Amino acid sequence: SIELPFIDDFSYDEVYPDTLLWEDCSVFINSNYPVNPPSIGVATFDAADYNGNIYDEASEEQFAADTLTSNKINLNYPVDSNIYLSFYYQPQGLGNEPEQNDSLTLEFNVPGTEDWNIVWKAFGSSLQDFKQVILPIDDTTYLKDGFKFRFVNYASIGVTSMPGVNSNADHWHLDYVRLNKNRSINDTVLHDICFVYPIESIIPEFESMPWDHFLNTIFSEIPLLYLIYGNRDTALRKATSYFSFTDMIGNSPFFTDKVWGSNLAYNEIIEKEYRTGSLEYLPNDTGKGLFEVKGFLDIDEEYDFSRNDTITYFQKFYDYYAYDDGTSENGYGIDAKNALIAYKFTTKEQGALEAIQIYFNPIKKNNIKPKYFFLTVWDDNGGEPGDTLYQQIGPQVEYTDSLNGFYEYPLTHEIIVSNTFYIGLEQTTADILNIGFDVNRNSKNKLFYNIDGTWRNTQFNGALMMRPIFGEPDNLNNKTGNIESINIRPVPSNDIIYFSIDGKQIDSSSEIYVYNQFGKTVINGLQTVQSINVSNLQPGIYIMKIQNINGNQATGKFIVIK
């Protein structure tokens, strides 16, 4: 059994609870969801399991979702030991608001039995400041060795008429759980100076970018570092903050510097900016960059809870651009067939676009049916998407069995891009696809949608969880990615259709694909044909794509009737 005191403020880097304190792992440990938490890091309760998948029993009615259960604790103390349990909680945060019938509960276990008793409950509401709850444990039923307590959230998900939104919901955030003796009902002050928010990307605009692209911009863009910490004590306290910067690949020297030393008043939160200046980022043979950035607090008193005095962030320079931080607090989608979603990126040098990563918020499993879309790349037209550079017909929404896991869609051929381009998709149905949306970052001015022929900026603050992946170019002159039009006749047809490109026969090395109006492949990879019998296809609109050995492609539409 754990001996008192029992303290956890979830200020660690892992996404699952500390196994020395907790016996289960369904909650999500993070610093992205809460708003002004007592200290950095919370345990987030929602409608998804430890892998991020929606619980099988999820429904419109309330169901027991995430559980956070303590390991056994020794509470074999006299009644007058003044044992109290306290914690902070917040509904919604930057996530989804729990409905009024949803709840977060605290339950006590009767040692030696399977009996659990509800001792506290909060019903769903919109965003509020963190509230502290403090409860005495003076019942001899619980004052035994082997005592356990647990938090359970009772959640519900959206209506089944729109499967795309039957996704993660009903967020609660738990912080600073303290169980100890010799306390009182008034023992609510946290005698602690601590970090409140995490370190963010040091590069302007992006969370990450390809290493070689970054090397070309280091002298024009001086990286910035921000440390945000606060005094949760009622007394004036002194703290000095430091940071370290370590090259994890190139073995650059360890760099440490003092940022700031000052007195902090009660509940004062300060944000200190440091310009890293002429730090040397040296190329390496891996073609990647990885830096460990740490913040430290040197506190004037020893009784502070020390774990929240250190924070760590890994600055990645791999093969992709990203605006998002990798955590989806919300979802983005459009309920309109043929809607277009485009995401603007401006490269720091010419590169070969070879794949696109997308994170789709998981939905309830019995609602998961194939949802196809057209993966698309556009060039720039005066600050909004222009001509189509590439379109891939046939991809469908894919979910990974990992928390916030991206799915990578390789392009059929690389596209050489420079300066500004757009990645995105065209929907084939009116169902919301529910792309992950990071509310902690804001690239609103980079996100466009089109439902009626006109491009518009989104009205929502956040960053779409969609990333362009770059590789080494094969041949800058050959991989043009041009899209031409296929001449198809007769249209409509119920028998044989004939096709050509610019009146010429199709090259014998070309591959021919046909997709239905929902993006599903119905004819796959035909070669050296100039006609197709479509009499076995269902009536409707179809799209033909022809791709040659150089990666150039042509598309066209035709209609099948009966």
Side-chain angles (χ1 to χ4, degrees), residues 318-377:
Y318 290 171
D319 57 354
Y320 60 87
Y321 280 92
Y323 297 117
D324 67 274
D325 65 10
T327 300
S328 170
E329 291 83 24
N330 216 313
Y332 187 89
I334 300 175
D335 56 347
K337 184 178 179 180
N338 302 126
L340 305 172
I341 298 174
Y343 210 17
K344 180 179 180 180
F345 289 86
T346 300
T347 64
K348 302 303 180 181
E349 67 172 33
Q350 188 180 64
L353 179 64
E354 64 178 19
I356 295 173
Q357 283 186 343
I358 307 176
Y359 174 71
F360 292 99
N361 286 314
I363 63 175
K364 189 176 178 182
K365 288 184 178 179
N366 61 9
N367 286 324
I368 296 179
K369 298 178 181 178
K371 291 190 286 289
Y372 296 90
F373 59 89
F374 301 160
L375 194 67
T376 310
V377 181

Side-chain angles (χ1 to χ4, degrees), residues 155-173:
S156 57
I157 62 171
V159 296
T160 56
S161 60
M162 184 66 77
V165 298
N166 289 352
S167 187
N168 201 4
D170 301 336
H171 293 95
W172 298 87
H173 314 293

Side-chain angles (χ1 to χ4, degrees), residues 482-501:
N482 292 330
I483 294 182
E484 300 180 85
S485 296
I486 306 173
N487 300 316
I488 302 175
R489 56 183 177 83
V491 177
S493 176
N494 61 1
D495 191 3
I496 296 175
I497 59 171
Y498 301 87
F499 42 90
S500 63
I501 300 175

Side-chain angles (χ1 to χ4, degrees), residues 189-193 231-235 237 265-267 303-304:
V189 177
L190 298 177
H191 300 287
D192 197 4
I193 291 182
N231 177 17
R232 297 310 189 190
D233 204 337
T234 53
R237 299 285 302 279
Y266 169 56
N267 262 347
Y303 53 75
D304 273 39

Side-chain angles (χ1 to χ4, degrees), residues 80-86 132-137 178 180-189:
D80 60 357
S81 297
N82 294 320
I83 297 176
Y84 282 80
L85 172 66
S86 62
Q132 185 173 196
V133 175
I134 183 165
L135 300 169
I137 305 181
R178 294 187 294 161
N180 203 2
K181 59 184 178 178
N182 300 323
R183 300 183 67 184
S184 74
I185 195 68
N186 298 315
D187 183 15
T188 57
V189 177

